[in-house]
């Protein structure tokens, strides 16, 4: 089967997301699609999958022009897609999610879930995708959820499979595992379109590479000859420094001391189990781990968002166990939260309002209960300038910014004042290489200015590049402490997977 | 009880601080209730209360139950004290809510025995009435959950009930009861279509759309009542659906008359709950409906038509509410009066949330309200020293206590933001 | 609105409070969405309302079969009379304007009570109950103390606020502490307040001396809101209440957009997780928001008791607390929007009264017209489609589902 | 009302009778409707016009009254104690205008110009008779009553009814029980509204469950719900209030044992007559058995339940009440 996209154009209000894109793929090959944030990769794939309709251009399969009214048509034409944000119903079981839309039936409208379970088992045996068909999605780790997505696509007999940033959330071992699956799919004659921001992976797996910028294809590359920096430049349009430059650290006294900390998760189970560590002045400590091993709860406990069940937290020697977020803020702590849209920002508020979100109660932004919007706006404009936030004004809602710029707003707010301790969760999640470079620089300069920095990230590369010291978390405990220069991604990956 | 013993043998208390706090609060509640029962009902009763559990004319007659109020109060107080102590020390784990419900039930029983001290009253009548009063609330709640399961909030239940009631009266008076039920359902469906168009097509805020439906229907039915019905009483004289016993089942003592000697709306309520429970959780329609509610984009990506699903379900919800509204006229009194639903739709909404968006939960919640309501009616004719205004508050107080105390945080099954397709 | 078109990504939550942006003092006012669309919405509502009025006139409807010409002229005659009376009753002279303002005052105050809730993500259906309790507080101050006017009136106002605030704080507290949804608890508290007032009116302390009727003692003159233009004609009822309502609206605006507390209210409404992250005390805020909302509704109750009526009777709040929901929606939860909507609804109420007095059209039609206005304003796409207006008006999103 | 709309009854310029209803509205099947019937009848008989304004809320009373004062009505009829204050104010401000108010009596000297005629009714006298009759015909030995709201105009019916039953018991040595009202504690069974017909059904059902076979609902249209239940079950009878239920509720005419009549219509008619014919005065009118302002309705379809002895006893009792030989207040 041969799939061609011809002259695809898609406009959103104010943006041309795809600009006359031509692309083709055949079964039995892996095409990698690269591009900075907002380049239009997901949009293009959504058009291919029938979710969006193109303003111009054609989708051609084996010479026939297709007319997709919705994903149903695309599925029927043999196209499957694993979305950047998983399209699973969290409260449904694996089997229910897999069969949704093409349900096996006993009789007139009555579901046959036994049949569904057998189908899931059959596919997971065939491709080594072990999952429990009865498990409820929201209780599964992301790695497994991704397997469910793949099973979903295979269950619909797709010939061409689209993967939108599938490796963003996986451990190195899971990535290896995933690449084996992809390879097997290719051997079985499936065509694969693979989107990622990780250039190393591209060179490892692609048969062909296409690069998008500002909605248009700016070039193709051959993985045999391409280099990481070459690809990065093609994506961003300027040379990018992929290395983090930092001087060796000279840690001072402990700013954060955590001892024997225990925290429960929402279900009331122990998420953090007797953890102890310190973060010192002029030091970056990175916490590595697969999502869901207690990092979220740890950070929430440290920043006053979650109740502590046992142990103590000292900040600059003062007891801040179970302090509230305000008290911790006032103790000189900056917090870049894990989920910027859920807690870091108030999307409907203007940038000014977001810039003073956690300091509005103090001079100069307010006096008594009277807000000083003038002072706030000045602060906002200062931060926009200093942190290069791309926005037409400080008075537009934060929801109007791109994800990378939203992240910059948070970083600017938190790093924009004098602090002693920085706690940053996933500081560069979903941010393109250009912005990553910038945020990493700022983190290092915070350290050099004398702050203690705690980074929590599921990106091993990021942890390796930034940290002076790395802690690996698994199942609520710290299972390893390493210095980056004395370990490797592979070794950390083993710890992250539970080996000790 | 297995896990309770397991908990008790553990050396340290495994309850989280939050759980522990809740446990302590509950324990204190139990103890306070125990004292209250002892003091108010234990020392306040002299004779016995007689609960009548069969009606004149029943095929199988069962003797009345006579309960000494004071004795019962002492027993209940002792049980409550025990529950309180147990709650304080170990908690009841996953059975906490169940135990609390039982505890409150015992308090209610003791209260009844005290209120009916030295008199008799009909338990059958009480329960039968409780079921009737639950009917419109259940229809409202199920209508609400059908909409909400596909991601549309239906605040307009009250209006749909009222529209159904009005239509039921007029069509019933002119074309008869069957036509009235159909027409009432259709009017509900029509109003739901309006809700769907406004929220899905024009993306009007869902609560605005619902509030509009309520105001609109209240205004329109009142306007046409004074404009037509007052002048033409013949248009407002609908037949009433009478109660009929289901053979055999109706002869079972207590249960028979309470559950199986009712009118068609009550039986329709049983069917509604059974059918919606089955279809929501066992059929393709249900799976797709819930998928659209929980995560519309996921449903869209597997080829389910999100908009069509929303339209269909909201309209079905409207049909249910419209039919339920006919209860007020042809199911009860045969005539329409302005604003005769008197807030039942909102209570249906409460029942839906309280019942956690599940048909069985909804009907249970409606029954709790129905029971409180029917108890209030009953207590007025027993000589209690409580002023009638306070008795009339009982159903609402019970709802608040139950929602705040028993249910806690309930998570809606839906993503209510307007779904936008490019 | 802003110059940048919102680009809501599919995987981002909808921006539900875009209208907040233009009131923090920045951005230009788009006359199309703020004036033209509402005006066209009112026009459309009147046209559709006319159809319902025509359908309610049985005699003329019968005439269509036999003499369509006369039927047409009669229909237009009826409509002309009805709408003419409506308009004259609302604006046609000093007394109509006085009536409109009298009726607008409690509507504005109760509308603010609902709007403040919306701004903080809480759906306050309980304005009616809060009005009743606030009114009773004002009543007691009004008949129990004998004070000079300049002390007595402010004291009654404060009492009304406190009464409503106490009643409003209950659902706030329950929501924050137990998660009990405020939609349920406020509805239930409405019923409870209604019964409570019924009961209190049977208690001697409240009852008018020498009578057993459920009518309260009258408020002393020193606590009654003075009438504003009584000197022209003692019948002109408009009193201090409307001035209080407008001042309160300005105060609420200041509170919401110029104070730290308002910033917290709006933050917790737009994103409770974000508010918690920012160090705000969400539990306290829920209680505070509902207390303020309840207090505002209490002022509306006070307006009835020490303003318009001078006493309390069973259910004296009428349906103002429910109209308030519509008002808050219509005013897009903005204090000044609520004032405008309150004046509109006050006019409709006064005009409706005049319409029933002079024509055969029942007053209930006013409610239908109100509902239609809200539909058309809430769905600007509809208006844009009908009249082919270009405007950047977006449909208002004020609520956020049941998210707990 | 029987006319096409309840708005106006037109005539030449023979005068104008105007009614302001309370929040119940003109079609409340209760005192607003009854007063309106009287006003319409008077207008028809004397070639005058009748007009009504409905009050939606408390705040409308003043406006409606003012609107009628501008219309130069010959008589303004206001209905219910809620209008007491507003009527007083209007009357004192407009000494030339004549008013009459239903169910309300002013204290001496309150009305400065003596231009308001209060119309009140000793309904307990008639209810006493109804109670006596109910006690005589009950087969279960239990009768019941319930009210709308616990207020004097409602409970006066219930007082009379219960005392009538008690009188029967003391005369005949029987033990007929009355459920739903205790005249001594002034507590009992109330729907707390005058709207929900479904409540009327439920409250009657509840009384029937406890054995009552005669029920007197004193709750305006709510009682229609009780009558609907009575006609469905066929096991109990209704005692109507205000107007003759047999005539007013033709759908369920057969269930009415009798009704406690409160002839608001007659009183309003008489006041209108006076006003139109120049003999209006502001004296208080008290409807009694004696002046036929109150009474009980014929037994109609239920006449076979009433023996001729009972009828004779009732006639005697009526005479004794009028003469004061029987004290209905104990
Ligand atoms: N539904 C939408 N409405 C408006 N604009 C949109 C919509 N979806 C995408 N866009 C815009 O189109 C452009 C392309 O977005 P797209 O999601 O395709 O980028 P991407 O290449 O997948 O980026 P990323 O690497 O962040 O996933 C962006 O500017 C985005 O803001
Ligand atoms: N998120 C929160 N959770 C619980 N309590 C809080 C929270 N925020 C503040 N408080 C408590 O409320 C009280 C007042 O807080 P407030 O915000 O006025 O203090 P503050 O702003 O930190 O003071 P300042 O900045 O002037 O030093 C304090 O006792 C604080 O502990
Ligand atoms: Mg993308
Ligand atoms: Mg992205």
């Amino acid at each position: 089967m041969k799939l061609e996209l011809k002259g695809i154009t898609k406009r959103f209000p104010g943006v041309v997301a795809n600009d006359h894109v031509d692309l083709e793929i055949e079964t039995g090959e892996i095409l990698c699609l690269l591009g900075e944030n907002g380049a239009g990769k997901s949009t293009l794939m959504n058009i291919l999958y029938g979710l969006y309709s193109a303003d111009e251009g054609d989708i051609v399969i084996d010479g026939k022009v297709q007319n997709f009214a919705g994903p149903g048509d695309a599925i029927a034409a043999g196209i499957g897609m694993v979305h950047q944000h998983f399209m699973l119903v969290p409260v449904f079981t694996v089997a229910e999610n897999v069969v949704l839309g093409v349900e096996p039936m006993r009789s007139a409208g009555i579901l046959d879930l036994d049949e569904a379970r057998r189908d899931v088992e059959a596919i997971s045996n065939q491709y080594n995708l072990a999952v429990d068909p009865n498990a409820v999605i929201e209780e599964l780790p992301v790695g497994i959820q991704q397997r469910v997505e793949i099973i979903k696509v295979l269950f619909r007999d797709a010939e061409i499979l689209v993967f939108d940033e599938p490796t963003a959330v996986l451990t190195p071992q899971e990535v290896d595992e995933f690449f084996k699956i992809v390879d097997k799919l290719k051997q079985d004659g499936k065509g694969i379109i693979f989107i990622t921001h990780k250039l190393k992976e591209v060179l490892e797996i692609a048969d062909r590479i296409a690069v998008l910028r500002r909605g248009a294809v700016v070039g193709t590359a051959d993985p045999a000859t391409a280099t990481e920096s070459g690809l990065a430049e093609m994506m961003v349009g300027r040379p990018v420094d992929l290395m983090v430059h930092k001087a060796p650290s000279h840690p001072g006294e402990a700013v954060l001391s955590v001892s024997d900390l225990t925290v429960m998760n929402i279900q009331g189970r122990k998420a953090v189990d007797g953890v102890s560590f310190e973060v010192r002045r002029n030091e970056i400590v990175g916490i590595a781990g697969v999502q869901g091993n207690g990092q979220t709860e740890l950070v929430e406990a440290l920043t006053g968002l979650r109740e502590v069940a046992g142990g103590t937290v000292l900040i600059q020697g003062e007891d801040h166990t179970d302090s509230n977020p305000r008290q911790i803020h006032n103790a000189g702590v900056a917090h870049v939260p894990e989920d910027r849209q859920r807690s870091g920002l108030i999307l409907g508020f203007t940038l000014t309002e977001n810039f003073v979100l956690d300091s509005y109660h103090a001079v100069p932004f307010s006096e008594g209960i009277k807000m000083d919007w003038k002072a706030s706006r000045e602060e906002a404009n200062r931060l926009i300038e200093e942190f290069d936030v791309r926005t037409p004004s400080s008075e537009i809602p934060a929801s109007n910014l791109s994800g990378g710029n939203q992240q910059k707003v948070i970083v600017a707010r938190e790093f924009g004042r004098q602090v002693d301790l920085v706690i940053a969760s996933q500081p560069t999640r979903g941010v393109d290489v250009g912005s990553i470079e910038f945020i990493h620089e700022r983190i290092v300069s915070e350290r050099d200015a004398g702050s203690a920095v705690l980074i929590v990230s599921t990106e091993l590369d990021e942890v390796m590049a930034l940290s002076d010291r790395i802690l690996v978390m698994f199942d609520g405990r710290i299972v390893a402490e390493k210095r980056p220069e004395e370990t490797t991604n592979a070794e950390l990956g083993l710890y992250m997977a539970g080996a000790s | 009880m297995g896990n309770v013993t397991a908990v008790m043998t553990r050396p340290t208390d495994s309850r989280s601080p939050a759980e522990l706090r809740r446990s302590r609060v509950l324990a204190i509640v139990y103890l306070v209730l125990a004292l209250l029962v002892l003091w108010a009902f234990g020392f306040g009763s002299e004779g016995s209360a007689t609960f009548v559990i069969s009606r004149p004319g029943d095929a199988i007659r069962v003797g009345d139950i006579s309960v000494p109020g004071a004795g019962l109060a002492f027993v209940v107080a002792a049980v409550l004290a025990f529950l309180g102590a147990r709650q304080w020390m170990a908690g009841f784990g996953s059975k906490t809510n169940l135990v609390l419900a039982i505890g409150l039930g015992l308090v209610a029983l003791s209260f009844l025995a005290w209120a009916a001290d030295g008199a008799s009253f009909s338990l059958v009548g009480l329960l039968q009435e409780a079921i009737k009063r639950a009917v419109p609330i259940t229809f409202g709640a199920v209508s609400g959950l059908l909409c909400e399961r596909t991601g549309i909030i239906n605040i307009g239940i009250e209006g749909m009930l009222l529209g159904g009631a009005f239509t039921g009266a007029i069509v019933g008076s002119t074309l008869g009861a069957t036509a009235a039920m159909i027409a009432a359902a259709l009017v509900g469906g029509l109003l739901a279509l309006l809700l769907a168009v406004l929220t899905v097509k024009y993306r009007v805020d869902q609560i605005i759309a619902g509030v509009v439906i309520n105001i609109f229907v209240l205004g329109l039915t009142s306007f046409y009542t004074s404009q037509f019905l007052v002048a033409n009483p013949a248009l407002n004289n609908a037949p009433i659906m009478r109660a009929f016993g289901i053979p055999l089942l109706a002869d079972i003592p207590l249960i028979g008359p309470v559950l199986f000697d009712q009118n068609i709306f009550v039986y329709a309520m049983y069917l509604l709950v059974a059918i919606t429970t089955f279809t929501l959780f066992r059929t393709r329609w249900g799976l797709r409906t819930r998928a659209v509610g929980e995560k519309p984009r996921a449903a869209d990506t597997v080829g389910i038509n999100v908009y069509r699903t929303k339209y269909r379900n909201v309209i079905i919800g409207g049909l249910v509410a419209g039919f339920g509204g006919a209860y007020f006229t042809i199911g009860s009194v045969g005539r329409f009066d302005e604003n005769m639903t008197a807030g039942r739709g909102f209570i249906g909404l409460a029942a839906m949330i309280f019942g956690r968006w599940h048909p069985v939960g909804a009907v249970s919640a409606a029954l709790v309200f129905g029971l409180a309501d029917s108890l209030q009616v009953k207590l007025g004719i027993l000589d209690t020293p409580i002023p009638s205004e306070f008795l009339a508050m009982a159903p609402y107080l019970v709802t608040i206590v139950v929602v705040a105390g028993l249910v806690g945080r309930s998570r809606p099954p839906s993503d209510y933001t307007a779904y936008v397709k490019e | 609105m802003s110059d940048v078109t919102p680009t809501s990504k599919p995987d981002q939550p909808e921006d539900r409070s875009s209208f907040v942006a233009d009131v923090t003092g920045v951005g230009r006012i788009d006359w199309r969405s703020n004036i033209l669309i509402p005006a066209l919405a009112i026009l459309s509502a009147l046209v559709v309302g006319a159809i319902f009025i025509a359908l309610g006139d049985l005699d003329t409807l019968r005439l269509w079969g036999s003499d369509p010409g006369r039927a047409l002229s009669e229909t237009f005659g009826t409509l002309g009379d009805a709408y003419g009376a409506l308009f004259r009753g609302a604006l046609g002279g000093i007394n109509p304007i006085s009536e409109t303002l009298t009726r607008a005052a409690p509507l504005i105050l109760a509308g603010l009570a609902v709007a403040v809730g919306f701004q903080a993500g809480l759906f306050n259906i309980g304005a009616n109950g809060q009005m009743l309790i606030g009114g009773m507080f004002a009543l007691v101050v009004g008949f129990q103390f004998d004070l000079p006017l300049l002390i007595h009136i402010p004291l009654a106002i404060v009492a009304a606020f406190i009464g409503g605030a106490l009643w409003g704080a209950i659902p706030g507290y329950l929501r924050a502490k137990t998660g009990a949804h405020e939609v349920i608890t406020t509805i239930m508290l409405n019923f409870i307040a209604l019964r409570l007032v019924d009961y209190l009116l049977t208690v001697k302390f409240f009852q008018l001396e020498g009578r057993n009727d459920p009518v309260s003692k009258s408020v002393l003159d020193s606590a009654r809101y003075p009438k504003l233009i009584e000197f022209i004609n003692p019948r002109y009822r408009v009193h201090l209440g409307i001035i209080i309502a407008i001042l309160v609206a300005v105060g609420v605006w200041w509170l919401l957009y110029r104070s730290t507390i308002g910033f917290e209210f709006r933050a917790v409404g737009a994103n409770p997780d974000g508010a918690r992250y920012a160090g705000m005390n969400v539990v306290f805020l829920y209680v505070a928001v509902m207390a303020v909302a309840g207090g505002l509704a209490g002022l509306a109750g006070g307006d009835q008791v020490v303003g318009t009526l001078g006493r309390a009777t069973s259910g004296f709040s009428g349906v103002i607390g429910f109209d308030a929901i519509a008002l808050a929606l219509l005013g897009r939860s903005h204090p000044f929007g609520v004032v405008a909507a309150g004046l509109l609804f006050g006019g409709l109420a006064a005009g409706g009264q005049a319409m029933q007095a002079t024509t055969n059209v029942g007053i209930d039609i006013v409610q239908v017209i109100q509902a239609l206005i809200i539909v058309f304003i809430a769905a600007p796409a509809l208006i844009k489609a009908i009249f082919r207006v270009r405007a950047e008006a977006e449909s208002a999103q004020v609520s956020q589902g049941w998210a707990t | 009302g029987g006319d096409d709309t309840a708005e106006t009854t037109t005539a030449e310029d023979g005068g104008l009778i105007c009614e302001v209803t309370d929040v119940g509205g003109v079609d409340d099947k209760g005192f607003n409707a009854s007063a309106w019937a009287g006003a319409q009848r008077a207008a028809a008989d004397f070639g005058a016009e009748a007009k009504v304004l409905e009050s939606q809320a408390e705040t409308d009373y003043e406006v409606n009254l003012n609107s009628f004062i501008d219309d130069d009505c010959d008589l303004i009829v206001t209905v219910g104690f809620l209008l007491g204050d507003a009527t007083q104010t209007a009357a004192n401000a407009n000494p030339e205008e004549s008013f009459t108010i239903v169910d309300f009596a002013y204290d001496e000297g309150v009305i400065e110009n003596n231009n308001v005629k209060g119309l009140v009714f000793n309904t307990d006298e008639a209810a006493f008779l109804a109670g006596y009759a109910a006690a005589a015909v009950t087969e279960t030995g239990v009768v019941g009553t319930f009210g709308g709201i616990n207020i004097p105009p409602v409970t006066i019916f219930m007082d009379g009814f219960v005392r009538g039953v008690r009188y029967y018991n003391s005369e005949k040595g029987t033990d007929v029980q009355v459920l739903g009202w205790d005249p001594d504690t002034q507590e009992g069974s109330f729907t707390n509204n005058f709207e929900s017909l479904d409540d009327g059904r439920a409250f009657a059902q509840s009384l029937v469950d406890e054995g009552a076979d005669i029920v007197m609902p004193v709750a305006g249209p709510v009682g229609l719900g009780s009558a609907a239940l009575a006609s469905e079950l066929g096991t109990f009878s209704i005692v109507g209030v205000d107007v003759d239920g047999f005539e007013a509720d033709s759908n369920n005419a057969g269930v009415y044992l009798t009704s406690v009549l409160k002839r608001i219509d007659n009183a309003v008619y008489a006041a209108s007559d006076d006003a139109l014919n120049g003999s209006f005065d502001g004296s208080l009118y008290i409807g009694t058995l004696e002046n036929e302002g109150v009474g009980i309705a014929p037994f109609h379809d239920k006449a076979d339940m009433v023996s001729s002895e009972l009828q004779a006893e009732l006639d005697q009792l009526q005479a004794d009440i009028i003469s004061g030989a029987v004290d209905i207040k104990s």
Side-chain angles (χ1 to χ4, degrees), chain A residues 65-276:
Chain A
V65 175
Q66 304 286 319
N67 209 341
F68 295 160
D73 295 343
I75 293 168
I79 295 167
M81 180 159 172
V82 175
H83 296 264
Q84 186 170 1
H85 302 264
F86 293 157
M87 291 298 167
L88 297 169
V89 182
V91 296
F92 282 11
T93 63
V94 169
E96 286 171 330
N97 266 293
V98 169
V99 301
L100 187 65
V102 282
E103 303 84 351
M105 243 116 47
R106 259 181 239 287
S107 61
I110 298 173
L111 290 175
D112 188 348
L113 285 176
D114 295 331
E115 173 69 34
R117 273 177 221 120
R118 281 194 296 274
D119 292 341
V120 171
E121 272 160 13
I123 297 173
S124 64
N125 289 337
Q126 192 188 343
Y127 288 93
N128 294 328
L129 295 160
V131 288
D132 171 9
N134 294 320
V136 175
I137 294 294
E138 63 189 354
E139 289 167 7
L140 293 176
V142 275
I144 307 289
Q145 290 190 16
Q146 186 172 57
R147 288 186 195 169
V148 179
E149 283 280 25
I150 298 173
I151 293 174
K152 226 170 106 180
V153 171
L154 295 172
F155 180 71
R156 289 165 174 73
D157 284 332
E159 288 297 306
I160 307 271
L161 283 74
V162 178
F163 290 96
D164 195 351
E165 292 190 36
T167 55
V169 290
L170 303 184
T171 61
Q173 280 75 13
E174 284 176 316
V175 171
D176 289 345
E177 197 65 25
F178 173 75
F179 281 172
K180 277 187 210 136
I181 295 165
V182 172
D183 215 45
K184 179 152 171 46
L185 291 169
K186 178 175 139 185
Q187 302 310 326
D188 281 9
K190 313 274 185 198
I192 288 152
I193 303 178
F194 181 78
I195 300 174
T196 183
H197 287 293
K198 300 183 186 174
L199 304 175
K200 232 184 293 173
E201 292 174 354
V202 178
L203 298 177
E204 185 180 338
I205 197 159
D207 293 323
R208 285 193 300 126
I209 300 171
V211 180
L212 244 63
R213 194 165 77 224
R214 305 242 173 112
V217 178
V218 289
T220 55
D222 178 354
T225 55
T227 62
E228 281 189 47
S229 52
L231 289 174
E233 185 169 349
M234 216 197 275
M235 280 164 66
V236 185
R238 63 172 168 89
V240 181
D241 192 345
L242 295 171
M243 296 290 295
V244 175
H245 298 282
K246 61 179 171 59
S249 73
H250 304 284
E253 84 280 6
V255 177
L256 174 70
S257 315
V258 177
S259 53
D260 209 18
L261 187 70
T262 301
V263 186
M264 304 291 173
N265 66 7
I266 309 171
Q267 284 84 34
R269 273 177 262 141
K270 263 185 205 166
V272 177
D273 191 0
V275 162
S276 306

Side-chain angles (χ1 to χ4, degrees), chain A residues 305 335 342 360 369 371 373, chain C residues 257-258 264 271 276-277:
Chain A
L305 289 167
H335 174 204
R342 203 179 70 114
Y360 68 92
I369 70 159
M371 287 294 298
W373 286 117
Chain C
Y257 298 111
R258 290 287 181 269
E264 294 177 350
N271 180 353
R276 227 162 76 78
Y277 159 84

